[in-house]
Amino acid sequence: MSTNKADKFKSLMRSPSGNQEDKEEIIFPSEIAKSPAHELVQISGKKKATFELDAELHRWLKVHALTINKDMVQVLEEVLRKYRSETERK
């Protein structure tokens, strides 16, 4: 039986015992290494992310990044890191 990427991704949301967990479960790198997800997830380095962003928000981000002399990706990474730290405290 072959396992597709969607099945492997779903396994990210399962605990080591195989039970389905709440979607807000935090998965630590050591847990990923023990799961099939290690084939899909690269913990270190950079990964390319492609997504659509509201045009007005994109324009604001571009101008803001230029204003503070940073790349758009640097601004997004800072915001995501802050959001991540806030949500992990809950």
Side-chain angles (χ1 to χ4, degrees):
M1 177 197 289
S2 66
T3 305
N4 64 27
K5 287 184 179 183
D7 292 334
K8 289 180 182 179
F9 182 76
K10 286 177 188 174
S11 72
L12 283 172
M13 299 308 296
R14 296 189 184 281
S15 68
S17 65
N19 297 328
Q20 189 73 25
E21 297 290 329
D22 183 16
K23 288 184 177 184
E24 292 184 12
E25 174 188 15
I26 298 171
I27 301 172
F28 296 99
S30 60
E31 293 170 331
I32 292 173
K34 297 175 191 172
S35 76
H38 74 277
E39 298 171 19
L40 299 174
V41 179
Q42 194 177 44
I43 300 300
S44 62
K46 296 279 186 175
K47 286 295 277 186
K48 185 172 190 134
T50 304
F51 53 90
E52 291 188 20
L53 189 60
D54 176 76
E56 184 179 335
L57 188 56
H58 181 270
R59 189 171 28 259
W60 176 87
L61 177 61
K62 192 170 198 170
V63 170
H64 177 70
L66 286 169
T67 302
I68 62 171
N69 199 28
K70 292 187 178 185
D71 293 331
M72 289 170 54
V73 72
Q74 290 173 309
V75 175
L76 289 174
E77 284 179 344
E78 288 175 14
V79 170
L80 286 171
R81 283 189 181 97
K82 182 178 178 184
Y83 178 76
R84 177 182 173 187
S85 69
E86 289 172 359
T87 58
E88 286 179 349
R89 281 186 238 150
K90 293 180 180 180

